[in-house]
Amino acid sequence: MADLSIDFCGVTSPNPYWLASGPPTNSGEQVMRAFEAGWGGAVWKTLGEPIVNVNSRFGAMDIGSAKVAGFTNIELITDRPLAANFTEMAEVKKRYPDRALIASLMVETREEWREIIRRSEDAGCDAIELNFGCPHGMCERGMGSAVGQEPRVLAEIASWAKEFSSVPVLVKLTPNVGDILEPGLAAVRAGADGLSLINTIKSVIGVDLDLMTPLPAVGGEGTHGGYCGPAVKPIALHMVGALARDMRIRTPLSAIGGVSTWRDAAEFVALGAGSVQVCTAVMHKGYRIIEDLTEGLSEFLDARGMASLTELMGQASPNFREWGDLDLNYRIVADINPDTCIGCQLCYVACLDGAHQCIHTSQSPCHAWHGEPDHAQGPRAQVAAPMEHAAPANMDSRTPWVDEAECIGCNLCALVCPVPGCITMREVAQGSSRESWNERLEAADPQSQG
Amino acid sequence: MPTEQDTSRLKSNRLERHFEDSKPPYSAGEALIEADRCLYCHDAPCVRHCPTTIDIPKFIAQIASGNTRGAATTIFRQNMLGASCARVCPVEEMCVGACVYEQFNGQPIAIGRLQRYATDTACADERSSGRPLFTPAPPIGRRVALIGAGPASLACAAHLALAGVEADIYEREELPGGLNTTGVAPYKMQAESSLAEVEWLLSHGARLRAGVRVGEDIAFASLLEEYDALFIGVGLGRGRTLNLEGPGVWGATELIRAIKTEEGFALPAGASRAVVIGGGNTAIDIARELALLGVTEVTLAYRRREAAMSAYAHELAAARRCGVRLRENLRPLAAVHRGGALCGARFQEVGGNDVVELACDLLAVAAGQTTGVQALGAGVRCNADGTVWVVPGTRRTSLNRVFAGGDCINGGREVVDAAADGRIAAQDMLAAWRSEAARRKRNG
Ligand SMILES: Cc1cc2nc3c(=O)[nH]c(=O)nc-3n(C[C@H](O)[C@H](O)[C@H](O)COP(=O)(O)OP(=O)(O)OC[C@H]3O[C@@H](n4cnc5c(N)ncnc54)[C@H](O)[C@@H]3O)c2cc1C
Ligand SMILES: Cc1cc2nc3c(=O)[nH]c(=O)nc-3n(C[C@H](O)[C@H](O)[C@H](O)COP(=O)(O)O)c2cc1C
Ligand code: SF4
Ligand code: SF4
Ligand code: SF4
């Protein structure tokens, strides 16, 4: 069994999975149940001056019958008394000393920061996380994403925290910025020991067309909320990956955003994350998802012959390139496996209407196959296209076939095919060697790169 | 189903009321989940296997998007009997049997149940909102008489009425709906659903003249004189009896009709053994109905081997699940009576010399129906098997201005085939009148 334990800027936990700050970490009773279920750590629901929440406060985007593909909330920080939170925190740490316990904090003035950090440390937390991310409710009060979006303010508060804190300081970043490197760098320069990202994305999850109200609806009204859940993973992957690759940022990254399976977690780690936080998936399915989060991850590592999670960390990073560095001469074509094809012809229509018109069916065979002129003009991929291709063996079959000479390898067909593995992309050996756009530019005009 | 009104002609103490739906209606949630599975195939094979070529991926996507009225409209445009077809179509042999999921995981989309959900929900909405799904066009000054108020005529009349044609349906029985009302198995659909559908179809403007036997009460020729066009939708004639007679012996369709529509009808007291003769779907239906009504031993006696049966395999399998047993290679000889009561049926074993006697206190004969169009005295050309000859693409008969559809042209298929015939004939009539009008206009 691979070793899943982590050391994240001095904070250790038996596995990389922490509950993100949110409803699942609202109380000691909950966090203890989560630790009992196997969670490696928990970032407590953000503490600060207790607030008042509104209702309803959640909204979800379903895609067909896939529930909660995206999630939103307009909840604020904790609405429970600070004293109760700290008492429970201390009890949790006492009972589960091996788990990571992190206090998420959000207050305004320098004095308030000093005070709340002291009380957090007294309660026994292993680290603090500065919530500079919440995009609703708190930012209007000059906190949350109002801080996260202002690198200067962010750096100032982060340096206070460093000054007051004897435990590691994590800064939680908001994705509601043009370039994530700016707040990331500001936090690191102010001394942050680690970065957590992403917090939620400013969004309107939907509109109730009966009430004519943005969702979630508070009575007959609504406001923008913070978007999260599976749908935001690609955005989080990009941001975590960008920070991980930046040589100026050498602090560990706690990845958050849409993690619901071990595979999501492995992807974040492969792009450079050191721990993974989860909120929506737990709100959807409960703490026990930790079982396969850990079992699946360790099975994956075992299968790859990796003895520990650290071996996976950053593995995919070097393969991330700018577009201009990608190989223009790499060529693949789609292969349809007639044995598993069920004849839905989604690939056909996707290629016809949405791509390059190179899949054909017995009802609508290729023009070229009929000896008519090619239906597409202009340059294609760099192949000298032999225009004759054999008709499929069985003209009654609904299985489409790919005109290989025309296929540009975009892989749309493989993405829409409902049968796993039925359409594969096969590499076509090329005479020419690797050449990127940047190389081409350079060859054309050596000065321009100087 | 469209409405619950005017089923008053039906009494509530009918035997069919004992049956439950074999495929109960979907809740909204169930429908959404099932609709979501549909792949929205291109050139979808399910559509190709629906005789009325309903755009199935489209209507399913409309259910999924929440446009249930749109889904129903998509269905009805092609098949005005979409509500009953959703219940009675042998979908395993049609749309569902062709669904691509068959080859994937063997779990095809439940197209019939989705169709039922869409049509029932939309018709309920039509009633509660008062917004009709269809608005008939203004009168175009044409009149059509339709003979028989079965699915074929009803579909044709509804399409015509929506196009502004005056459509009069002549039906010899008091209850309209043809075999949809009196024949289809009650675990698929009961008579009130069929009558409610008839009512909805007629609500678009067609008129029903019940209790009129064309050929007896009114001559075919006089209808032809009075109307711009005629549609023959008389179905089939009486069931064959194979000379099996006497107390306790029933024609299958008569027995089914009694179960479905007769007030206070009951099986003979204490009937515990029944024999059904035949190998088609009607034989299977009555066998399954008897088993479901509590007859403990139901035997299906067929004169050839199972593989030669015209009944659908899925229907036979369902009957077997209800306890029906099949006996192959038995050619019926006679009903056996003792003391005036039925006690068995005697068979000759095919390919052997044995005479087999099966004890029973109820014998149902489902040996097919004869054709019945001859009674009309219409003089249309018929095929060798007695069905009406029509031009395939238009359903025109050999007589000018006379169309036909349904069981009387195909020898007994499904409701959906009748619905397709009705629409195709209506479309051809309308097209002919349109080009006639255009011609007249051109010639000044
Ligand atoms: C027992 C049984 C079960 C069936 N189950 C199914 C099923 O599950 N699914 C399915 O799709 N199909 C089923 N069918 C077949 C289906 O019912 C028929 O295909 C369909 O009803 C044919 O419609 P039609 O309009 O052609 O004829 P019919 O339904 O037979 O209607 C003809 C109408 O014309 C009237 N008529 C006849 N002569 C005259 C006259 N001279 N004047 C006035 N009126 C006249 C009759 O009274 C009748 O009402 C079943 C049939 C039977 C017998
Ligand atoms: C209902 C709700 C409340 C949240 N509250 C907080 C919070 O108090 N502090 C905080 O830093 N993040 C909060 N978040 C953001 C999450 O910690 C996390 O960054 C975000 O949801 C993305 O992760 P996910 O896709 O796993 O949910 C909240 C999220 C949700 C859904
Ligand atoms: S999408 Fe896949 S299953 Fe469907 S026709 Fe194309 S190859 Fe076959
Ligand atoms: S009418 Fe019948 S065959 Fe056609 S789609 Fe509906 S259920 Fe299937
Ligand atoms: S074949 Fe099946 S999956 Fe495809 S459109 Fe028809 S019902 Fe949907």
Side-chain angles (χ1 to χ4, degrees), chain B residues 50-52 54 56 79 85-86 89 91 94-95 111-112 115 416:
Chain B
C50 167
T52 54
I54 291 173
I56 295 164
N79 180 346
C85 281
C89 270
V91 290
M94 295 182 166
C95 53
I111 300 169
Q115 181 168 318
V416 64

Side-chain angles (χ1 to χ4, degrees), chain A residues 348-391:
Chain A
Y348 163 75
V349 84
C351 188
L352 182 70
D353 292 359
H356 296 84
Q357 304 81 45
C358 27
I359 297 184
H360 309 290
T361 70
S362 49
Q363 271 74 47
S364 57
C366 176
H367 299 229
W369 176 68
H370 276 299
E372 290 164 18
D374 184 14
H375 43 94
Q377 277 127 35
R380 285 295 178 101
Q382 298 151 318
V383 281
M387 268 310 159
E388 74 281 357
H389 10 264

Side-chain angles (χ1 to χ4, degrees), chain A residues 428-433:
Chain A
V428 181
Q430 287 298 96
S432 37
S433 57

Side-chain angles (χ1 to χ4, degrees), chain A residues 64-65 342 344-346 348 398, chain B residues 36 39-43 45 100:
Chain A
S65 44
I342 58 170
C344 68
Q345 299 189 352
L346 287 175
Y348 163 75
R398 286 187 50 89
Chain B
D36 198 46
L39 297 168
Y40 201 70
C41 296
H42 170 77
D43 186 17
V100 296

